[in-house]
Amino acid sequence: MSGRPAAVRRAGLRSQLLLAFVCAGYGIGAAVGWGSPGLALFMGDFGLSAAALIAAVSCFVHARRSGSRFRPAWLLFSLSSAMAAGGNAVWGWYEVVLGRPVPSPSAADVFFLCFAPPAIVGLLVLASRPANRAGWICLVLDAWLIGGSLLTLSWSLALAHTARIANASGESVARAALSLAYPLLDIVLVSMVLALHFRRGSVDRSAVNLAIAGLALTVVCDALFTSPLLRSAYQSGQLLDAGWFAGSLLLAYAPWRARRVQDNAVGPGRQARSGSRPIAGSLAALTPYLAAAVCTLGILYNVVQGHRVDRFVLLTGCAVVLALVVRQAIMLVDNIALTQELAQKENHFRSLVQGSSDVIMIAAPTGVLHYVSPAAAGVYGREAEDLVGTELSSIIHPADLGGVVHELRRFLAARAQEEPTTRIECRFRSGAGDWLHVESTVNRHQGGLLLNSRDVTERVRLQAQLQHNAEHDPLTDLPNRALFTSRVAQALGGRRAGDQGTAVLFIDLDGFKAVNDSIGHQAGDELLVQAAHRLQDSVRATDTAARLGGDEFAALIVGDGTRDQAAREYQVHEIAERLRLTLSQPYRIGGGEVRVAASIGVAFAEPSITPKDLMRNADLAMYRAKAGGKDRVELYAPQMQAEVVRRTELAGRLRTALREGEFALLHQPVVHLASGTVAAVTAQARWRSAQGVLFTPAEFLRVAEDGDRAAELGGWLLEQAVAQAADRAGAGHPVPVCVRVSAGRLLDRTVPLGSVEALLTRHGLPSGALMIEVSGDDPRISFDELEQRLIELRRLGVRIALDGFGSGYAAVNALRRLPIDVLKLDRGLVEGVAESARLHKITGGLLRIAGDLGVQSVADGVDVPEQVRVLRTLGCTHGQGAAFAGPLDEHRLRRTLTRGKYPVPGGGPAAPPVPAGRSLPLQSRSHAETPVPPT
C-alpha cells in the first residue's frame, strides 16, 4: 500500500512539471514574437483555441467519469472553454486564413460573450450550499457587494471614459455595448470568484483552487485587453496571449489534480490540514467591508480628481451600502437565532452531563483534568472542583497505570475513523482513600481525551465471588476438583515441566460415614471443616489443598527442583505421614471427641504425564491404602495398574448383570414442600445380587462411566422408566418421571432423538411427562454441543433439569448456557443448610436466582424436618430425600401415589406455587444416594 501513493505523487509531479514547461515555452515564444508575424498570428489565435479546446475536452471527460455533485460544474466549465475555443478559432479565421482584420462586432464576440455565463454558473455549483434561505440571500448580497464595488471603481477609472469616447466618436450602439459588455461580464466573473473563494466545499479543494486560478487568470487578461491603452496596440501572438493560454491549461489540469490528491490520501495517518480555515473564515467575514471600502475609494477618486461625481457611481455606491446594511441585518438576526439555539443546546447538554450518574471528565493531552462533572462527588466521594487541575495518573492505581498509559497511547496513535472509542478498566482512588473499580469509555476531544466513567466495583466483586464459588467448595472454602485440576496442570507445565518432585496426595477420611450415621450430618460437616483447616495449615503457601467431594481431599505438593528423586520421595512421604497423623487427631464436635483416620495415596509426576493420569495414579494409591487396612500412606507403583484390570472384570460382570436381568428399577418421590403432594418421581437403578440383596451399584456405575456398558445401562434405565410411567398413567397415576443421563453420554449421541421419540410413542407416554436430568459440572464437556443437544430434546417436548446446582461449573457456566427447566440443589448445600449460616446465605441466593429465572427448584437429600422448614423459608418449591421417602419399588410407589401426599413439617411460610400450566419436570439423584434396605 505504501508504494502506490509514492507512485501517484511522482506521476503528479511529472504532470505539473510538464504543465509549467508548456506554459513557460508559450510565454517565451510570445515574448520574442514567435520568430515571424505569421507564426505569431497562428499561435495567438489557433494556439489559444487549441488550449481552450483541451480544457473543454478535459472537463467533459472528467464530468462523464465522476459521480460527485460537482459534475454539472465541470460540464459548465467544459462549455465555457468550448466558447473560448470557438471565439479564438473565428478570430484566427479572419487573421490567418482570410488575412484581414477581425470586424467588430463579429461571431467571435458572440463566442467570447458566451464564455462568462457558464463559468459563473459553474462557480455557483462549486460553492458550498448555504444551509438556509438567509445564507442564499447573503451569498447574492456578497456577490453584489463585490461586483458593485468593482463596477464603481472600474467606471470611475476607465469605463466612464470609454463610454464618453464611444459617444464622442459616433460609434454605433452595438459597438458601444460591446465595448462595455466585456468588462461588465469580467466584473461579474471576478465577483463570483472572490465571493465563492471562501465558500467552496471541502471536497476536491485542490481542483477547485486550480479552476478558480485558471478563471481568475483569464479574467485578468480580459481586463487588460479591454483597457484602451493595450487594446489599441494589441496584436495576436503577444505576451498577453500567454495568460489566456496558461488559464486554459490550468482549467484542463484542475479536475485530474483532485483524483491524484484523493489517491495520495490513502496512506495511513494522513489527515487534512485545516490550519488555513480560520484565516479563510476571517477573510470571508471581512468581504462585505472590503467591498464597501472599494466602493468608497471609487467615489473618493472622483472627488480628489475634481470630477463631478457620476450619477451612475453614486447610485451604485448607494446600492452597495444598502446591500451591506441588509446583509448585516440578516446576519444579526441569524446570529441572534443561532445564539439562542446554542444556549438551548448548551443548557440541554449541561443538564444531561450534570444529571448523569456517570462521571464525565475532560483531560488535556498532558493528562491534566480540565473538567469533571458533578457526579464525581457521588461516585468517587470527591468534589469535582478538587479533581480539576490534577493529573489523571495521580488517581489511578500504580499497578494499573502502565496498562492504562499503553492503551491510551495505542488509541491516540490509531486513526479516528477506524477506532473512534476505546474502553479501559482500572482502579481510581476515592475520597475515602480506598480504590474503586472504574470502567471508562474514552473518546478523542480536541487533542485530549473525553472519559465517561462509571463505578463497577460491585460488579467486579460479584464476578469475583461467583468465580470463587465456582472454583471452591461451599462448605470448607477449599478449591474444588476443577480448580485443583487446573493447579495440577499449571504445576506440570511451564518451567516446572521437567520437575519430577511434584506430587499429588489423595486423602480419604476413614470412618466418616459412621460419624454421619451416628451423630448426624451437621456433625459431619463440622468435622469436614476442621479437617480442611488442618489440611490447609499443613501445606506450604505454594502448595494447594482441595476438597474433591464428600470426605475426599487432595493436596498438590509443588516440586522444589531437587535432582535426588529418592530424597524427594522420602520428603513427600514424611509430609504425607505428618498429614495423616494430623487428620487422625481427635476432633471436638458438640462438646465431645470424634475420631476418624486418613488413608492417603501419593503419586509423583513423571515426564510427559498428564494431570488426569497423575490424579488417577494418586487415586489408585489411595484405594490401595484403604484396601491395605486404612489409616496409612501408600505410594503409587506401576503394579497398581492391576486395579485397572480388575475394573475391566467388573465391567464384564456389569454386562452379565444387564444380560441376566439382575437390575431393578426404583423410584423416589419428589414432594411439593408446601402441600406435601407428589409432583414427580425419579428413576434409580439397583443391582440385585445372586443372594437377592438389593443395593446401590456405585462401583459398577463408576466403571460404566468410562466403558461401553454406559449406553446399554442408560438405554435400559430409560426404557424401564418410560414403560413403568406409562403403566402408572394407565392405572390412574399420571406422574412425570425423571431419568438421569450424563452430559458425556448425551454428547456421544448414545440416546438418539429418534429413539427417544419412538420410545415415548411406543409406550403412549406424553413427551412432557419425561425429563432428562443432566449435570454440567464436568469442565471437559463442550457447552456448545451440549446446548444444541438439549435444545433438540426440548423440541420433542422433553424437559431438562440441571443437577448439582450450587457446586462447580453448574452454578455459573451451565446456568448461563444451557436451556434449563428445573434447578436441582446440590446435596452438599442441603446437608448443612439448617446449621451453617454460610450455606444458608448461599442456598438462599441460589434459590433467588432460580426464582428470578422463572424455573422450578428441587432440593436433593432432604433428610430431616429442619431442612424442610428452612428450604420452604428460602423459597424452595420441591424436595426429595429421607424426610419423605427413600427409593420405592413399584408396589410401594403406587400405594404412595394413592395416598397422594406426605405430611410436611410446619413452621415456615409456604413456598411459591408452581407456575400455571407447568408441571414439575422430573428429577433424579446422584450416585451417592442414601442406601436402601433390602426388600
Side-chain angles (χ1 to χ4, degrees):
M1 293 296 293
S2 61
R4 186 170 180 265
V8 171
R9 286 195 296 269
R10 287 193 297 268
L13 181 60
R14 286 195 296 267
S15 61
Q16 293 171 14
L17 291 176
L18 178 61
L19 177 64
F21 179 77
V22 172
C23 292
Y26 190 95
I28 293 173
V32 300
W34 295 104
S36 67
L39 182 59
L41 290 177
F42 181 85
M43 293 302 296
D45 294 333
F46 290 109
L48 293 182
S49 179
L53 184 61
I54 292 174
V57 173
S58 175
C59 293
F60 180 78
V61 171
H62 176 74
R64 290 290 300 273
R65 295 182 179 181
S66 174
S68 67
R69 71 177 185 90
F70 298 128
R71 179 181 179 183
W74 297 112
L75 289 175
L76 290 169
F77 290 153
S78 175
L79 177 60
S80 179
S81 298
M83 294 296 102
N88 283 295
V90 172
W91 198 286
W93 174 262
Y94 282 104
E95 288 190 335
V96 177
V97 178
L98 300 181
R100 61 187 180 87
V102 182
S104 180
S106 66
D109 294 319
V110 176
F111 281 107
F112 288 141
L113 289 175
C114 292
F115 165 80
I120 294 172
V121 178
L123 288 173
L124 287 173
V125 175
L126 284 180
S128 58
R129 301 178 183 274
N132 49 34
R133 185 180 301 174
W136 284 106
I137 296 175
C138 289
L139 177 62
V140 174
L141 292 175
D142 286 344
W144 166 244
L145 285 170
I146 297 172
S149 301
L150 293 177
L151 181 59
T152 301
L153 187 61
S154 300
W155 187 269
S156 301
L157 295 176
L159 295 183
H161 179 66
T162 302
R164 286 194 295 269
I165 292 175
N167 186 31
S169 60
E171 291 184 356
S172 63
V173 176
R175 289 180 59 86
L178 186 61
S179 299
L180 297 177
Y182 282 111
L184 292 177
L185 287 175
D186 287 339
I187 289 174
V188 174
L189 190 55
V190 170
S191 301
M192 290 297 101
V193 170
L194 294 178
L196 300 177
H197 176 67
F198 303 111
R199 291 180 175 267
R200 61 192 186 278
S202 60
V203 182
D204 295 348
R205 184 172 291 271
S206 297
V208 175
N209 285 336
L210 284 176
I212 291 177
L215 293 174
L217 186 56
T218 302
V219 169
V220 170
C221 294
D222 286 345
L224 294 175
F225 174 75
T226 56
S227 173
L229 296 177
L230 291 181
R231 188 169 185 178
S232 60
Y234 172 77
Q235 291 183 355
S236 297
Q238 293 181 347
L239 192 59
L240 189 61
D241 291 343
W244 282 314
F245 183 84
S248 296
L249 291 188
L250 284 176
L251 189 59
Y253 177 70
W256 309 106
R257 169 65 179 171
R259 175 165 298 183
R260 291 193 179 95
V261 170
Q262 291 172 0
D263 292 339
N264 197 21
V266 176
R270 185 177 297 273
Q271 298 180 354
R273 291 176 297 177
S274 58
S276 62
R277 292 185 182 180
I279 299 176
S282 301
L283 293 177
L286 293 175
T287 299
Y289 303 101
L290 294 175
V294 171
C295 182
T296 304
L297 288 176
I299 298 175
L300 290 176
Y301 175 79
N302 286 273
V303 174
V304 171
Q305 293 296 326
H307 300 155
R308 184 176 60 87
V309 179
D310 192 278
R311 183 179 302 175
F312 177 81
V313 173
L314 185 60
L315 292 176
T316 305
C318 293
V320 168
V321 174
L322 179 61
L324 178 61
V325 173
V326 173
R327 184 186 186 280
Q328 291 303 105
I330 293 175
M331 294 301 298
L332 179 61
V333 173
D334 193 39
N335 287 337
I336 293 175
L338 290 176
T339 302
Q340 293 176 349
E341 183 180 358
L342 180 61
Q344 292 176 355
K345 290 183 178 180
E346 183 179 355
N347 292 332
H348 174 71
F349 285 109
R350 181 182 292 111
S351 300
L352 290 178
V353 171
Q354 294 181 350
S356 174
S357 60
D358 293 349
V359 180
I360 299 175
M361 301 182 294
I362 299 177
T366 58
V368 177
L369 295 176
H370 284 179
Y371 173 79
V372 179
S373 66
V379 176
Y380 301 151
R382 304 177 66 176
E383 294 297 331
E385 294 78 5
D386 298 338
L387 290 174
V388 173
T390 63
E391 291 189 4
L392 185 62
S393 59
S394 64
I395 62 175
I396 298 178
H397 195 283
D400 301 337
L401 183 58
V404 172
V405 171
H406 174 75
E407 172 61 20
L408 292 179
R409 287 178 177 174
R410 184 203 62 79
F411 171 67
L412 293 175
R415 299 182 61 184
Q417 297 82 354
E418 297 177 354
E419 191 174 3
T421 63
T422 188
R423 297 179 67 183
I424 58 174
E425 186 169 335
C426 60
R427 285 166 288 180
F428 276 13
R429 186 188 299 275
S430 70
D434 54 350
W435 296 99
L436 304 175
H437 290 270
V438 176
E439 181 184 68
S440 301
T441 301
V442 185
N443 295 270
R444 297 173 179 85
H445 178 74
Q446 297 179 357
L449 297 173
L450 175 64
L451 297 92
N452 190 346
S453 306
R454 63 202 61 87
D455 182 11
V456 294
T457 304
E458 290 301 322
R459 188 195 71 185
V460 172
R461 289 176 181 172
L462 179 59
Q463 289 176 343
Q465 184 63 41
L466 290 176
Q467 184 68 24
H468 180 85
N469 293 342
E471 295 179 341
H472 289 76
D473 175 60
L475 179 63
T476 64
D477 204 36
L478 290 179
N480 58 16
R481 182 181 295 272
L483 181 56
F484 184 76
T485 304
S486 176
R487 296 278 179 86
V488 173
Q490 293 176 9
L492 296 180
R495 61 185 181 88
R496 300 181 180 273
D499 190 353
Q500 300 183 27
T502 298
V504 170
L505 281 62
F506 265 44
I507 307 163
D508 185 84
L509 300 182
D510 304 320
F512 175 74
K513 184 176 181 303
V515 174
N516 271 344
D517 295 341
S518 59
I519 59 178
H521 291 283
Q522 182 177 1
D525 290 345
E526 179 62 26
L527 189 150
L528 291 175
V529 171
Q530 293 186 27
H533 290 164
R534 294 183 184 183
L535 177 60
Q536 185 70 53
D537 295 339
S538 301
V539 298
R540 300 171 301 179
T542 56
D543 300 330
T544 300
R547 183 192 179 201
L548 305 183
D551 59 347
E552 290 187 355
F553 294 86
L556 170 65
I557 309 299
V558 180
D560 56 4
T562 181
R563 296 183 179 276
D564 190 345
Q565 186 63 20
R568 179 59 177 168
E569 289 183 1
Y570 178 80
Q571 182 183 8
V572 173
H573 190 275
E574 287 293 321
I575 295 174
E577 282 291 345
R578 289 197 303 270
L579 186 57
R580 181 187 65 81
L581 293 175
T582 301
L583 294 176
S584 300
Q585 295 296 319
Y587 295 85
R588 298 290 300 180
I589 305 293
E593 289 189 353
V594 177
R595 290 181 176 270
V596 294
S599 296
I600 303 177
V602 182
F604 285 91
E606 300 174 357
S608 303
I609 194 171
T610 63
K612 178 181 177 182
D613 291 340
L614 181 58
M615 294 173 64
R616 180 203 62 193
N617 293 344
D619 195 19
L620 290 176
M622 186 266 291
Y623 275 106
R624 173 62 63 90
K626 293 179 71 69
K630 302 181 180 180
D631 193 18
R632 55 184 295 175
V633 176
E634 191 75 33
L635 296 181
Y636 170 78
Q639 294 80 5
M640 294 180 183
Q641 290 294 339
E643 178 69 17
V644 178
V645 177
R646 190 177 71 86
R647 289 171 64 87
T648 305
E649 295 176 353
L650 293 178
R653 292 181 60 188
L654 175 62
R655 181 172 59 252
T656 302
L658 286 170
R659 184 174 61 252
E660 300 297 333
E662 297 180 0
F663 278 91
L665 189 67
L666 300 182
H667 295 84
Q668 186 173 24
V670 178
V671 179
H672 195 286
L673 297 183
S675 62
T677 58
V678 178
V681 294
T682 60
Q684 302 170 14
R686 294 293 184 269
W687 181 65
R688 187 184 302 275
S689 68
Q691 293 77 23
V693 178
L694 191 67
F695 60 92
T696 302
E699 185 176 17
F700 295 95
L701 290 178
R702 283 197 296 268
V703 173
E705 286 294 333
D706 298 321
D708 295 334
R709 305 278 66 82
E712 188 176 353
L713 179 60
W716 175 87
L717 180 63
L718 183 61
E719 172 82 26
Q720 293 298 317
V722 172
Q724 293 187 22
D727 291 342
R728 286 192 296 273
H733 303 295
V735 181
V737 63
C738 178
V739 180
R740 187 180 190 274
V741 180
S742 68
R745 295 296 166 253
L746 284 176
L747 295 182
D748 288 341
R749 304 287 174 169
T750 56
V751 185
L753 296 179
S755 64
V756 174
E757 187 175 11
L759 180 63
L760 295 173
T761 303
R762 182 167 68 252
H763 292 286
L765 184 69
S767 58
L770 173 64
M771 169 166 281
I772 299 296
E773 181 180 328
V774 62
S775 175
D777 60 354
D778 189 350
R780 299 169 298 177
I781 64 175
S782 170
F783 276 101
D784 292 334
E785 298 180 13
L786 183 59
E787 180 184 12
Q788 184 61 35
R789 182 66 169 170
L790 296 181
I791 290 175
E792 294 172 353
L793 285 172
R794 292 189 71 186
R795 288 173 181 164
L796 298 178
V798 178
R799 312 296 290 277
I800 305 298
L802 176 62
D803 182 35
F805 182 61
S807 65
Y809 285 76
V812 180
N813 239 12
L815 182 61
R816 180 173 62 89
R817 299 288 303 278
L818 303 180
I820 301 301
D821 299 296
V822 170
L823 296 176
K824 185 175 181 181
L825 289 179
D826 184 72
R827 172 183 287 270
L829 294 176
V830 177
E831 288 176 349
V833 71
E835 297 86 6
S836 172
R838 181 186 183 90
L839 291 181
H840 188 280
K841 292 181 179 180
I842 294 175
T843 305
L846 296 177
L847 289 172
R848 284 194 297 273
I849 292 176
D852 292 340
L853 295 177
V855 298
Q856 299 288 343
S857 56
V858 176
D860 185 19
V862 183
D863 296 333
V864 295
E866 290 78 4
Q867 295 172 348
V868 176
R869 285 191 286 268
V870 173
L871 290 170
R872 287 184 61 197
T873 303
L874 294 177
C876 184
T877 58
H878 298 77
Q880 66 180 76
F884 303 106
L888 306 175
D889 58 21
E890 189 64 22
H891 176 69
R892 294 179 179 177
L893 177 61
R894 294 203 180 192
R895 282 195 308 177
T896 298
L897 294 178
T898 301
R899 187 171 62 248
K901 63 171 59 179
Y902 287 95
V904 178
V914 180
R918 292 181 59 189
S919 62
L920 177 67
L922 313 176
Q923 303 295 323
S924 68
R925 297 175 58 87
S926 64
H927 297 152
E929 293 162 322
T930 304
V932 180
T935 57

